Amino acid sequence: MSSNKKMIGYLGIVIANFMAMFLISGIGILGYAVAGEYDAVLNVSMVFTLESAARCAIMPISGKLGEKIGRKTLFIFAMIVYVIAYLIAATVPGFWVYVIARTVTGAAWGLWVTNSFVLMNDVFGNEDTTKLSGYAQSASTVAMMLAAPLAGIFCATTIGWRLEYYICLPIMVVAIILSAIGIPKTEKQKNQLPMDIGGSFFTCLFLIPFGLAMNWGPSLGWGNKTTVLCLILTIIGIIGLLISEKKASDPIYPVRVLKNKYYLSVFIVSLFFSIANSAFNYLPTYVQYFAGVDSVRAGFMTLPSLILAAILTTILGRYVAKNMKYRPVMLLWVIGTFIGSILLFMTGMPIVAGIPFLWGVISILPIGGTNSCQQIVPYTYPINVLKPEEIAIGMSFMGVSGVFGNTVANGLMGAIINSSGMVNCFKVPIFCAVIMLIFGFMFKDVKRGETL
């Protein structure tokens, strides 16, 4: 296949990941608008929780599923499902219709997000993939930068929040067409072990009822039949997952890759950063609902941090591609998060209560900026240190760290919002930052496969 045709496929991947990140990064503004329209503000955490739960449940098997049916086939199929689900979310009225449709998009995105980087590795090789994935992640960071301000502007129009989908979905269709034309057909792997469907099922059974219980428990009561049922299903899901993973011939949670203790450090840092970063999602809603900031200003509140993230993603991506060193990036990641968590902890305190917009800009700047590290390290480190046969499953498992953390955090945030108030969500990151510091300073650079 010609290099020009490969670059068409690469452009399709970049556009798809750009649009997915754009849509998810604006959800702090958009989710409030949707919940407000349907008088469901206290259930706004479900907009975040169920989508990430579905992504977390499906992502672990995405690598193996891509090997079984072909990564290109899976990538294009997932994008089609993604577009259809968001079309339903935008056109069929109802808060829970929107939440369920968005849950489907989470599963679809989980199928393609890590597979897209493995696809790049298949097409361009290891060395070029590190560079090209850095460019792709830079584009995704730009999407994060644009998402909230534009979401605020869209919500202020007469069409409202739906305008974002009317604009974005046709662009996703273009990405599907470019990917179909430019990505070469990927071979199915033969003689594979059976897929761990049980692991994926029980992950879903654990996370979705957990999110619902955390959201409904404080409002319905922890003794309510619905809440108790959700908690029982959560326990069944955890037990089933443990049994399933023990019996599976090829478990979706490949503990063997955690034998690389530096891979483990990246995994833990990504996991707890996602928990800390989940508070970031609620800040635009908080300043609108509790501090009276309009949607346009709330959207622009995240812009400085995302501009910083876009700049750092480009710089750090080039640094890693050139030097293959991750420790400086890890240290920036954990120290920046620690500083940001201290600032977020102060949200709502009397000393800053009179300047909610300005303090929002200041407090999210460090954590927003270190999103650049989240964009680079988890998506390139496995490619550069794991053995070739471990890359697909290592990439999928690494992706789970962020999504699992985000899912669990959103469930906890729902409980916090409905019991003690949204402002207390911003106390959570400080605990995560301490754990990140420990594992971040344990990390050092190693050669491919050195600790496996």
Side-chain angles (χ1 to χ4, degrees), residues 157-380:
T157 65
T158 54
I159 298 176
W161 57 268
R162 292 175 178 83
L163 179 60
E164 178 159 318
Y165 298 111
Y166 297 156
I167 293 172
C168 293
L169 296 185
I171 299 174
M172 282 294 299
V173 173
V174 172
I176 294 171
I177 294 171
L178 292 175
S179 300
I181 294 172
I183 298 175
K185 184 178 179 180
T186 51
E187 297 295 328
K188 305 174 185 177
Q189 290 196 8
K190 299 178 181 179
N191 302 321
Q192 295 186 53
L193 295 171
M195 290 182 60
D196 184 14
I197 301 298
S200 186
F201 170 78
F202 285 114
T203 298
C204 196
L205 186 61
F206 154 44
L207 288 174
I208 291 180
F210 170 78
L212 292 171
M214 293 299 101
N215 189 73
W216 290 337
S219 56
L220 296 180
W222 293 105
N224 180 272
K225 292 181 180 179
T226 302
T227 307
V228 171
L229 176 61
C230 288
L231 292 173
I232 290 173
L233 290 175
T234 299
I235 294 170
I236 292 173
I238 293 172
I239 295 172
L241 180 61
L242 293 174
I243 295 173
S244 175
E245 293 303 277
K246 186 176 181 179
K247 292 184 176 181
S249 54
D250 190 20
I252 63 173
Y253 298 107
V255 178
R256 63 183 182 274
V257 298
L258 297 180
K259 292 179 181 178
N260 181 327
K261 61 183 178 180
Y262 304 115
Y263 175 99
L264 173 63
S265 293
V266 176
F267 183 91
I268 295 296
V269 168
S270 178
L271 171 68
F272 281 93
F273 178 77
S274 296
I275 297 175
N277 196 42
S278 65
F280 182 100
N281 292 329
Y282 293 91
L283 199 54
T285 299
Y286 174 78
V287 298
Q288 289 178 87
Y289 191 66
F290 295 100
V293 177
D294 61 84
S295 66
V296 175
R297 285 200 302 151
F300 277 90
M301 187 174 65
T302 61
L303 187 58
S305 67
L306 296 175
I307 291 174
L308 176 61
I311 295 170
L312 288 177
T313 300
T314 301
I315 294 172
L316 297 177
R318 289 178 178 175
Y319 171 82
V320 169
K322 180 180 180 180
N323 301 289
M324 290 298 159
K325 293 186 181 297
Y326 287 86
R327 181 171 169 78
V329 183
M330 285 283 286
L331 294 179
L332 174 65
W333 193 1
V334 299
I335 294 172
T337 303
F338 181 72
I339 294 170
S341 67
I342 294 173
L343 297 177
L344 276 174
F345 190 90
M346 296 173 63
T347 300
M349 291 184 176
I351 192 171
V352 298
I355 49 170
F357 173 78
L358 179 60
W359 185 251
V361 172
I362 295 171
S363 63
I364 63 180
L365 188 63
I367 291 182
T370 53
N371 260 297
S372 58
C373 305
Q374 175 81 320
Q375 294 293 307
I376 295 294
V377 179
Y379 290 100
T380 63

